[in-house]
């Protein structure tokens, strides 16, 4: 319905000299806001819902969380009043994306899952599904859920390729699967596969003609983090250092998760190079950021607690400060028991699926 230019409202939507998508987010928001009063009068509520949802999406991207909820609530007030799987899928995807940015992983997962249900009913699978599956993969990495990562890889192959970022995301999820398996089963040989697929994703970006429009900065930062972690575990300080320089070009330190990941990987790198003061400083910064999480969100970030405390314990052990090292080993054990307790994990995962 959004392509029907015979509707006066939508004719003006496209009277910007081309596709509105090529304007900046603030410019797009102003255009969409100007169309809202007339869109409210249009019979099919999918139109006004899409406008609200897209504005909410852009506000999330701009980190303007104060206004996101207003537009999301406005979009969801029309849920059930129209029959359009594309718009329903878009609504839930953006809501999932919003909660993901707020570190509410369970709400994000729930809305991504519902969005996928709508989008998979369309005659042809839209490229938005690639973004959705990629975001789900970020959650399954946190949960160390290799079975669902395998399922996502199969699902992603069924989505037609429209742009560069889809290739990057597909390779990235394969790299994620190998990284989870290497960590979970202590299989160092899989690190070569982690490196291979993260490198393939980066190579896709390097040869892409649409670098600016692909919007893959966040994805690339995750690829470089994956590469650096693999090289650190292989003990290759030089390769880790080279990729650290590339990571700094793409990582968005305005985002909480990216900054926490950056400090964590810096701490691990400096531990490898035996620059203990720098390592301790970086890891403590990461731990401070984790302490800002709401209590109910902590469980999904236990792997980071373990990673940071393990690294701090290693630093103190290598310096002969055994009492401090033992303190952090106790913390690692505490969070590991919480994370891998079979009964708790089963209950939590069942709830997540529901």
């Amino acid at each position: 319905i959004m392509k029907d230019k015979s509707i006066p409202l939508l004719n003006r939507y496209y009277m910007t000299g081309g596709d509105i998508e090529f304007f900046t987010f603030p410019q797009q928001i102003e255009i969409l806001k100007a169309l809202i009063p007339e869109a409210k009068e249009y019979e099919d509520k999918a139109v006004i819902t899409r406008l609200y949802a897209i504005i909410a999406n852009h506000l999330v991207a701009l980190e303007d969380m104060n206004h996101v909820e207003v537009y999301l609530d406005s979009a969801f007030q029309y849920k059930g009043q129209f029959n359009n799987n594309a718009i329903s899928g878009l609504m839930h995807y953006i809501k999932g994306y919003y909660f993901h940015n707020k570190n509410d992983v369970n709400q994000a997962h729930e809305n991504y899952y519902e969005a996928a249900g709508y989008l998979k009913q369309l005659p042809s699978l839209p490229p938005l599904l690639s973004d959705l599956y990629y975001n789900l993969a970020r959650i399954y990495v946190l949960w160390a859920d290799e079975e669902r990562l395998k399922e996502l890889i199969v699902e992603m192959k069924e989505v037609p390729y429209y742009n560069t970022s889809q290739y990057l995301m597909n390779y990235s999820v394969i790299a994620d699967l190998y990284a989870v398996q290497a960590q979970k089963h202590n299989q160092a040989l899989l690190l070569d596969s982690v490196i291979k697929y993260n490198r393939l994703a980066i190579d896709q970006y390097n040869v892409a003609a649409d670098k600016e429009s692909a919007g893959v900065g966040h994805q690339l930062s995750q690829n470089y983090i994956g590469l650096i972690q693999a090289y650190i575990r292989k003990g290759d300080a030089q390769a880790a250092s080279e990729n650290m320089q590339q990571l700094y070009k793409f990582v968005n330190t305005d985002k909480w998760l990216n900054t926490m990941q950056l400090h964590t990987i810096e701490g691990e790198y400096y531990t490898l190079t035996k620059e203990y003061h720098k390592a301790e400083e970086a890891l403590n910064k990461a731990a401070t950021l984790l302490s800002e999480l709401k209590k109910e969100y902590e469980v999904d970030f236990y792997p980071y607690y373990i990673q940071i405390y393990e690294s701090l314990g290693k630093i103190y052990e290598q310096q002969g400060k055994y009492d401090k090292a033992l303190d952090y080993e106790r913390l690692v054990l505490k969070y590991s028991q919480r994370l891998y307790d079979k009964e708790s994990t089963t209950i939590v995962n069942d709830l997540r699926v529901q």
Side-chain angles (χ1 to χ4, degrees):
I1 207 166
M2 294 306 296
K3 295 293 183 182
D4 186 355
K5 298 181 185 179
S6 66
I7 301 170
L9 162 71
L10 299 178
N11 186 42
R12 287 194 294 284
Y13 178 92
Y14 288 101
M15 281 177 60
T16 53
D19 289 334
I20 189 174
E21 288 84 358
F22 291 108
F23 286 78
T24 66
F25 282 166
Q27 289 171 331
Q28 288 186 44
I29 289 170
E30 291 308 310
I31 293 169
L32 295 169
K33 281 182 178 178
L35 295 172
I36 285 174
E38 187 175 349
K40 284 181 178 179
E41 304 301 320
Y42 192 67
E43 183 179 357
D44 192 324
K45 296 306 176 186
V47 175
I48 182 63
T49 301
R50 183 185 191 275
L51 297 187
Y52 280 136
I54 293 293
I55 292 172
N57 177 66
H58 293 353
L59 290 170
V60 170
L62 293 169
E63 299 289 317
D64 187 353
M65 296 300 173
N66 293 327
H67 295 100
V68 173
E69 279 191 274
V70 174
Y71 286 96
L72 270 178
D73 289 344
S74 295
F76 273 82
Q77 71 177 308
Y78 297 110
K79 185 177 179 181
Q81 296 184 35
F82 58 88
N83 183 23
N84 187 311
N85 288 326
I87 305 301
S88 295
L90 177 68
M91 286 166 57
H92 282 283
Y93 170 77
I94 293 169
K95 193 170 185 178
Y97 186 54
Y98 167 71
F99 281 117
H100 211 161
N101 273 264
K102 288 176 69 69
N103 301 314
D104 188 340
V105 176
N106 286 305
Q107 283 290 330
H109 181 264
E110 181 181 317
N111 278 281
Y112 286 148
Y113 226 80
E114 191 159 354
Y118 286 114
L119 297 175
K120 286 161 72 173
Q121 295 181 53
L122 296 174
S124 60
L125 299 179
L128 182 61
L129 267 173
S130 293
D131 297 84
L132 190 155
Y133 290 147
Y134 176 82
N135 290 347
L136 277 174
R138 309 315 309 161
I139 294 173
Y140 294 148
V141 168
L142 275 176
W143 295 349
D145 193 333
E146 56 185 297
E147 292 308 313
R148 290 196 194 157
L149 283 169
K150 289 177 184 176
E151 291 170 6
L152 283 182
I153 290 167
V154 174
E155 296 270 9
M156 291 181 85
K157 288 179 180 177
E158 296 178 4
V159 182
Y161 291 104
Y162 294 92
N163 54 57
T164 299
S165 63
Q166 288 178 273
Y167 288 99
L168 268 78
M169 289 186 282
N170 286 19
Y171 285 135
S172 299
V173 176
I174 296 171
D176 287 339
L177 171 63
Y178 283 119
V180 167
Q181 290 176 327
Q183 180 71 22
K184 199 172 179 180
H185 306 297
N186 197 26
Q187 294 182 2
L189 289 175
L190 293 175
L191 294 174
D192 289 334
S193 295
V194 176
I195 292 168
K196 172 185 174 180
Y197 284 98
N198 276 309
R199 183 59 62 192
L200 282 170
I202 293 167
D203 288 345
Q204 280 291 322
Y205 173 80
N206 288 334
V207 299
D210 57 341
K211 286 186 176 66
E212 295 301 321
S213 61
V216 293
H218 171 69
Q219 294 164 30
L220 283 170
S221 70
Q222 296 302 308
N223 293 127
Y224 279 113
I225 286 171
L227 275 177
I228 296 162
Q229 285 179 328
Y231 285 128
I232 288 171
R233 282 157 178 69
K234 287 169 71 74
D236 191 338
Q238 182 176 344
S241 175
E242 290 169 358
N243 285 282
M244 284 291 292
Q245 301 312 309
Q246 293 300 313
L247 172 61
Y248 289 128
K249 295 179 183 178
F250 293 101
V251 68
N252 180 359
T253 53
D254 290 332
K255 288 185 176 287
W256 177 90
L257 179 61
N258 290 358
T259 306
M260 188 271 292
Q261 289 177 317
L262 176 63
H263 290 318
T264 302
I265 203 72
E266 285 176 331
E268 291 190 329
Y269 169 72
Y270 289 129
T271 301
L272 176 65
T273 59
K274 301 188 186 304
E275 297 174 81
Y276 297 124
H277 176 71
K278 288 182 178 180
E280 186 177 1
E281 183 179 26
L283 290 166
N284 281 327
K285 285 180 180 178
T288 299
L289 286 169
L290 278 175
S291 70
E292 297 173 4
L293 278 172
K294 290 183 178 179
K295 210 71 178 171
E296 61 267 30
Y297 299 165
E298 284 184 3
V299 62
D300 291 305
F301 291 86
Y302 281 170
Y304 284 109
Y305 286 93
I306 294 167
Q307 188 178 348
I308 291 165
Y309 293 147
E310 272 184 340
S311 297
L312 283 166
K314 189 183 295 183
I315 288 169
Y316 293 126
E317 183 182 0
Q318 290 178 4
Q319 294 180 92
K321 300 176 181 179
Y322 299 114
D323 287 343
K324 273 192 160 185
L326 187 58
D327 288 340
Y328 281 103
E329 284 302 316
R330 290 193 183 104
L331 284 171
V332 170
L333 181 60
K334 171 185 170 183
Y335 282 97
S336 295
Q337 286 174 333
R338 290 180 180 180
L339 183 61
Y340 295 112
D341 179 86
K342 284 188 177 180
E343 184 178 349
S344 296
T345 301
T346 301
I347 292 169
V348 170
N349 282 340
D350 286 345
L351 289 171
R352 283 167 175 161
V353 173
Q354 293 171 20

